[in-house]
Amino acid sequence: MAEMNLWGQLPTVEVRRTPYVILREQAALLGQMTENLLEGHVEKGREGSKFAAKLNIVAPTLDHYTYTVLHVDYPVALYPLKVWDTGEGAFRECGNDAEFVEAVGEILSSDRVKRVIAGLLSQIRSDAPTPA
Amino acid sequence: MALCHTHDVDILILAESEIYGPHLLLTLNKGRPRKFCTPFELSPRLSFFIRYPSDCLKPVSDGGGVAIRRFRPPVGLEILLGAMHLPSKLHYDDVDQMSLSHRAADAIQQAERRVGHARTVVVGDLNMNPFEPGVAGADGFHGIMDKRIARRGARTVQGKSRRFFYNPMWGHMGDASKGPPGTYYYDSSKQVNLYWHTFDQVMVRPDLLDFFPDDRLEVLAGVGDQPLLSPRGTPDKSVGSDHLPLLFDIEIEKGI
C-alpha cells in the first residue's frame, strides 16, 4: 500500500527576525561603539510557556559587572510580547516587530541607559593604568 | 540618620530614597569618627551607604529593582548582598510579580555562580508577602520559615534542584510577633484585606544561617524617642517612610 501523507500541506515558513536576534544585533553594536570596553550580552531562556531573553551591558574590566537593560518574554508566534524596561520599572506591550524595535530603541537611547554607559566608561577609563 | 547612630549601623540600604545622597552623607558623617561612604553606584532605585572602605562593596549586577553587591570586609566573611525593590501591586498583577521575582531569583543565582559562593543575603521591599508564590515558590526566592529544613540546602522540584532561602520574616507577621504586625499598612476595600503586609524582608541562604542571629532581626517601630508609627499605629510617612525599616546583623567576624 502506498504511503499516505497525513501531514497535509506544511505551512510556508516566513523567515522573521526574532526578538532574540534583534537584541543580539544591538548587543554586538555596543561592543563596536565602545571599542569593546563594554559588551552587550543577550541571555536566552524560558519564562513559563514563553521564550525569554534579556539584554545586559557587561563591563569585562569591572569584574564583569552586569547591568540588565531590558527583559522580553515572547510566545512561539513571537507577538504580542512584553518588554520589561528595568530602569523605568515598567512593562511595554508590542504587537509586532516594528513596535518592538521602537520600544527597544526608546529604552536603549534613553537618558537613563546613557548615564549607565557614561558611568561605566568613566569608571573603566579612570581605572586604566596611565602610560609611563 | 538617628537610626544609623542609635543602632550603630554599618551598611544602610535605601530604596527609592528621595534624599540627595551627598546631603545624606554629610549628615550621617557629621562629628562621627567612622564615616559612611557611597561606593560606585549605578542602581536606579537602590542606594548603599557603608562604614567600610568604598572598595569593600563591589557592584556585581543591576537591573529591574535588583542590585547585587559583593561585600568583602577587610576582616571577616565575604557575603553577597542582593538588595531588592520589586514592583508594586498597585501597577502589576500576580503573574507579573511572579515573573519578576523569578528573574530576581535567577539574577541572584547567576551572581552566586560568578562569585563562587552562596553566602547570600536578600533584603528589601519585595512588594509581596512571605507566603506569596514569588517569595515562597521554588521558581521565586524559595524562602521558607523553618531553619532546619533550610539547612538541607535545596529540594528537587520538577527535576531541578532549587536552593532554599531561610525567610525569618514569617516570624514577624501579626500581633504575636515581636514588633509591629507588618512593615507596611494598606487598607483596601477588597474581599481580603490583610491591612498589614510584610513586604520588606530579609532572607539568607543556608550557608549564612550560623552567622544570622534571629533575635537581632527587628522591624523598627521607632528610633530612640521618635516613633515611626502614627497615633493610629500605622507607619507615619511624615517622620520616616510608609514602610518600616528592618534592622539585622550578619556576624561576619564570627569564627575568624
Side-chain angles (χ1 to χ4, degrees):
Chain A
M1 199 171 95
E3 279 179 14
M4 287 193 302
N5 176 0
L6 301 179
W7 292 96
Q9 192 77 30
L10 290 178
T12 313
V13 178
E14 179 196 349
V15 179
R16 296 167 73 184
R17 287 194 313 152
T18 64
Y20 173 68
V21 168
I22 293 169
L23 294 181
R24 267 193 23 196
E25 290 168 358
Q26 297 310 309
L29 276 171
L30 180 67
Q32 289 171 27
M33 291 192 300
T34 61
E35 296 166 324
N36 294 320
L37 292 176
L38 298 177
E39 295 172 359
H41 289 189
V42 183
E43 290 175 32
K44 202 175 176 183
R46 295 295 293 265
E47 184 59 48
S49 60
K50 294 182 174 174
F51 295 105
K54 66 178 176 182
L55 175 59
N56 295 328
I57 297 173
V58 178
T61 59
L62 298 177
D63 280 341
H64 288 85
Y65 169 77
T66 302
Y67 184 93
T68 301
V69 181
L70 60 88
H71 299 274
V72 55
D73 293 344
Y74 55 98
V76 176
L78 303 185
Y79 298 96
L81 58 72
K82 264 184 173 179
V83 183
W84 169 250
D85 176 350
T86 64
E88 197 66 36
F91 279 114
R92 295 170 185 224
E93 305 251 357
C94 304
N96 53 48
D97 55 359
E99 286 178 21
F100 177 62
V101 167
E102 187 184 338
V104 171
E106 282 175 16
I107 296 168
L108 298 189
S109 61
S110 66
D111 288 346
R112 196 186 303 268
V113 171
K114 284 187 176 143
R115 275 199 300 275
V116 169
I117 291 173
L120 288 172
L121 288 175
S122 140
Q123 183 82 4
I124 292 165
R125 288 182 175 135
S126 68
D127 283 357
T130 318
Chain B
M1 184 189 75
L3 188 155
C4 292
H5 296 161
T6 306
H7 295 283
D8 202 22
V9 167
D10 285 324
I11 301 179
L12 171 69
I13 304 172
L14 300 175
E16 297 284 359
S17 169
E18 290 168 3
I19 311 168
Y20 180 52
H23 286 172
L24 180 60
L25 265 186
L26 282 174
T27 318
L28 281 172
N29 290 336
K30 196 172 178 186
R32 295 278 151 176
R34 275 186 69 199
K35 310 282 188 202
F36 278 91
C37 65
T38 48
F40 172 62
E41 201 48 70
L42 283 171
S43 171
R45 272 173 266 165
L46 293 145
S47 337
F48 296 81
F49 300 85
I50 61 170
R51 275 201 319 183
Y52 286 92
S54 65
D55 60 0
C56 290
L57 195 73
K58 293 272 191 197
V60 176
S61 65
D62 280 296
V66 178
I68 303 176
R69 303 289 180 265
R70 186 177 195 171
F71 177 61
R72 285 195 269 198
V75 176
L77 199 67
E78 171 182 328
I79 60 172
L80 192 65
L81 198 53
M84 308 278 151
H85 185 211
L86 299 186
S88 163
K89 286 188 185 301
L90 296 175
H91 308 296
Y92 298 101
D93 62 24
D94 291 348
V95 176
D96 288 336
Q97 281 198 310
M98 179 67 213
S99 161
L100 292 168
S101 65
H102 176 201
R103 290 172 192 282
D106 190 49
I108 291 286
Q109 284 173 48
Q110 283 191 11
E112 288 172 339
R113 283 194 291 272
R114 270 178 61 191
V115 302
H117 67 77
R119 292 186 298 275
T120 310
V121 183
V122 160
V123 60
D125 174 8
L126 304 183
N127 266 307
M128 287 173 283
N129 282 297
F131 47 82
E132 293 187 58
V135 182
D139 257 356
F141 290 99
H142 210 189
I144 60 168
M145 65 174 89
D146 187 330
K147 258 185 186 179
R148 288 164 304 173
I149 296 172
R151 281 189 196 281
R152 295 178 194 162
R155 71 181 172 116
T156 301
V157 183
Q158 293 168 340
K160 271 179 76 177
S161 175
R162 318 291 181 109
R163 222 177 241 170
F164 288 124
F165 270 105
Y166 167 58
N167 189 351
M169 300 310 295
W170 281 95
H172 287 261
M173 291 189 285
D175 275 352
S177 66
K178 187 178 82 174
T183 64
Y184 177 76
Y185 181 87
Y186 183 73
D187 187 1
S188 93
S189 58
K190 290 184 179 171
Q191 280 284 332
V192 175
N193 186 2
L194 298 175
Y195 295 96
W196 279 97
H197 300 268
T198 303
F199 289 163
D200 306 279
Q201 296 174 53
V202 55
M203 292 183 264
V204 295
R205 285 286 196 214
D207 291 5
L208 272 182
L209 283 175
D210 292 337
F211 303 88
F212 182 81
D214 273 304
D215 57 353
R216 298 292 301 274
L217 168 61
E218 285 181 67
V219 177
L220 296 177
V223 180
D225 295 335
Q226 175 65 60
L228 296 174
L229 299 175
S230 71
R232 287 194 315 136
T234 58
D236 187 350
K237 203 177 174 182
S238 68
V239 293
S241 160
D242 52 355
H243 291 250
L244 295 174
L246 297 183
L247 180 73
F248 61 94
D249 193 12
I250 305 286
E251 297 173 325
I252 54 169
E253 288 164 15
K254 184 176 164 182
I256 295 172

